[in-house]
Amino acid sequence: MGMDIDFERSQITLSIIIPIYNEEDNLNCLLKRVIKSLEIPNLSYEIICVNDGSCDKSLEKLISYHRQNPAIKIINLSRNFGKDIALSAGLDFACGAAVIPLDADLQDPPELIAALVEKWREGYDVVYGTRRDRRGETWLKRFSATHFYRLIGRVSKVPIPEDTGDFRLMDRRVVEAIKQLPERNRFMKGLFAWVGYRQIAIDYDRDPRYAGQSKWNYWKLWNFALDGIAAFSSLPLKVWSYVGLVISSMALVYAVFLVIRTLIFGIDVPGYASLMVAVLFLGGIQLISLGVIGEYLGRVYEEVKGRPLYLVRDLYGFEDQGNDGQVSPLSQSGGEAL
Ligand code: UDP
Ligand code: MG
């Protein structure tokens, strides 16, 4: 490992993948800290920055950094596709023997890379960081995150480690496994867990965002949570059979009770309130169950359309994979072509 440094692209030891969406104020500090942290003996590296349709000066800055240091490579996507897809684009182009995705906002300390690499060299396939502390995040975000991880841990068929983000080191064989997963709904935490392999956790403190604002709001987080649950559990679909069973049994018992009461005491007409409650309650339950089916059906539709996951506009620094800085026909569609 690392004997013929930079001898050939395929001999790169470590690929760092950074998804970037409007992070102009973070880039300078980020790249300095990352490059410093990569001064590890016998380690050649590439830093793949995936520009996810930024509308600030991020791309211009990246290009000038790439000119200064060719180890910094850029994938410029055709628009904003979202972090998980940007990360997938990075994985498709990375050629290191190990890969580490990193947030551009310095929430994941680059100084931890050495520790990840050390564990990898001990023979683990996946070394993931578990957050000991979420500094700089609001109470509500911490609360919802904890409960989300608990819930998905309960309903998912594969165990998804709690408080684990995308910050992790993956061996090449894990990357190849993840690249084989064709789904469009890329709930990365789940996919990383699904592939398995020899995994080990190391604890770290998550720092507050360095500059700029988080792109997440509660509505997006809620939908992210729904995506995760829909992708890793079909429990919400199944539960309705049981709810239906319980309600029909109760209705049957009540019907028997009514028949007997009518036989003994004769007919009594009042019952408007109970009727109304029963109708509305059942109507509500049916709409909820339809909604749940709709959530899954919508996702099935997204998958079935089979559009490419992302489109690449330009590549910088991937000479053997496309033209430097040019729009090449080859680089039009991601994933499959390359
Ligand atoms: N990001 C991205 N595309 C998006 C949103 C975010 O590539 O549509 C990147 C962003 O630039 C950052 C990382 O994903 O590097 C994490 O984003 P953010 O800090 O907003 O998420 P949080 O840390 O709050 O989960
Ligand atoms: Mg962040």
Side-chain angles (χ1 to χ4, degrees):
M1 212 174 296
M3 270 166 23
D4 306 303
I5 299 180
D6 286 333
F7 175 63
E8 225 182 62
R9 285 203 69 219
S10 58
Q11 305 235 312
I12 287 176
T13 322
L14 186 62
S15 304
I16 307 285
I17 301 177
I18 312 180
I20 290 162
Y21 179 49
N22 295 347
E23 303 279 7
E24 55 181 359
D25 297 330
N26 289 323
L27 287 179
N28 190 12
C29 179
L30 169 78
L31 290 172
K32 269 193 198 139
R33 270 176 68 181
V34 169
I35 289 170
K36 185 133 205 317
S37 315
L38 285 169
E39 287 166 3
I40 300 171
N42 283 334
L43 185 119
S44 56
Y45 61 83
E46 60 179 356
I47 301 172
I48 300 183
C49 300
V50 186
N51 177 38
D52 187 16
S54 302
C55 37
D56 62 358
K57 294 247 168 349
S58 297
L59 182 63
E60 284 88 332
K61 287 200 171 178
L62 283 174
I63 293 173
S64 79
Y65 294 133
H66 161 67
R67 299 240 160 87
Q68 292 161 30
N69 180 353
I72 299 175
K73 301 170 183 176
I74 311 168
I75 302 171
N76 184 28
L77 299 184
S78 66
R79 65 170 169 86
N80 177 258
F81 283 92
K83 176 187 173 178
D84 286 332
I85 291 184
L87 203 57
S88 305
L91 287 179
D92 286 341
F93 284 84
C95 57
V99 173
I100 302 180
L102 196 72
D103 276 4
D105 57 4
L106 288 163
Q107 281 196 284
D108 306 319
E111 290 71 26
L112 226 66
I113 291 173
L116 297 179
V117 169
E118 199 184 302
K119 284 276 178 229
W120 172 57
R121 287 183 166 164
E122 278 171 24
Y124 289 97
D125 300 319
V126 179
V127 191
Y128 60 87
T130 297
R131 300 160 187 175
R132 214 178 309 150
D133 175 23
R134 296 167 152 253
R135 271 176 277 168
E137 291 187 352
T138 63
W139 174 86
L140 188 59
K141 178 145 185 202
R142 268 177 292 160
F143 177 85
S144 49
T146 319
H147 285 269
F148 169 68
Y149 282 121
R150 285 230 183 104
L151 175 70
I152 198 157
R154 288 257 171 81
V155 299
S156 157
K157 281 183 216 118
V158 286
I160 295 175
E162 269 183 48
D163 278 327
T164 301
D166 298 334
F167 184 42
R168 61 184 60 221
L169 181 145
M170 286 171 280
D171 187 74
R172 171 62 31 197
R173 43 171 91 87
V174 181
V175 175
E176 291 306 323
I178 287 179
K179 277 161 66 176
Q180 279 176 30
L181 306 180
E183 54 249 76
R184 258 122 268 280
N185 173 5
R186 297 197 84 75
F187 181 68
M188 282 307 210
K189 297 177 214 306
L191 299 185
F192 288 148
W194 184 87
V195 297
Y197 293 95
R198 283 189 69 196
Q199 309 211 356
I200 189 171
I202 59 172
D203 282 349
Y204 76 109
D205 294 322
R206 195 155 156 88
D207 292 326
R209 194 169 231 288
Y210 181 72
Q213 287 216 328
S214 169
K215 278 85 195 175
W216 291 96
N217 54 38
Y218 284 103
W219 178 244
K220 276 198 192 162
L221 278 176
W222 165 249
N223 281 302
F224 175 72
L226 286 188
D227 275 344
I229 290 170
F232 282 90
S233 167
S234 47
L235 191 69
L237 279 176
K238 289 182 189 148
V239 77
W240 299 105
S241 326
Y242 300 99
V243 172
L245 208 65
V246 169
I247 292 182
S248 348
S249 328
M250 279 170 15
L252 197 69
V253 171
Y254 188 52
V256 170
F257 165 75
L258 285 186
V259 167
I260 294 173
R261 200 178 63 170
T262 316
L263 285 180
I264 297 173
F265 298 106
I267 295 173
D268 86 283
V269 182
Y272 172 77
S274 54
L275 207 65
M276 217 40 207
V277 168
V279 167
L280 288 182
F281 176 71
L282 282 181
I285 295 253
Q286 283 167 353
L287 284 182
I288 294 172
S289 63
L290 270 183
V292 171
I293 297 175
E295 289 286 336
Y296 281 86
L297 188 63
R299 287 174 172 82
V300 171
Y301 183 52
E302 286 303 315
E303 300 290 340
V304 160
K305 276 191 278 190
R307 292 182 183 156
L309 210 51
Y310 56 85
L311 297 172
V312 176
R313 185 170 186 278
D314 334 89
L315 294 170
Y316 298 84
F318 297 91
E319 283 75 16
D320 46 351
Q321 294 176 33
N323 298 334
D324 192 23
Q326 302 292 313
V327 190
S328 87
L330 259 181
S331 63
Q332 290 284 306
S333 85
E336 288 84 15
L338 293 152

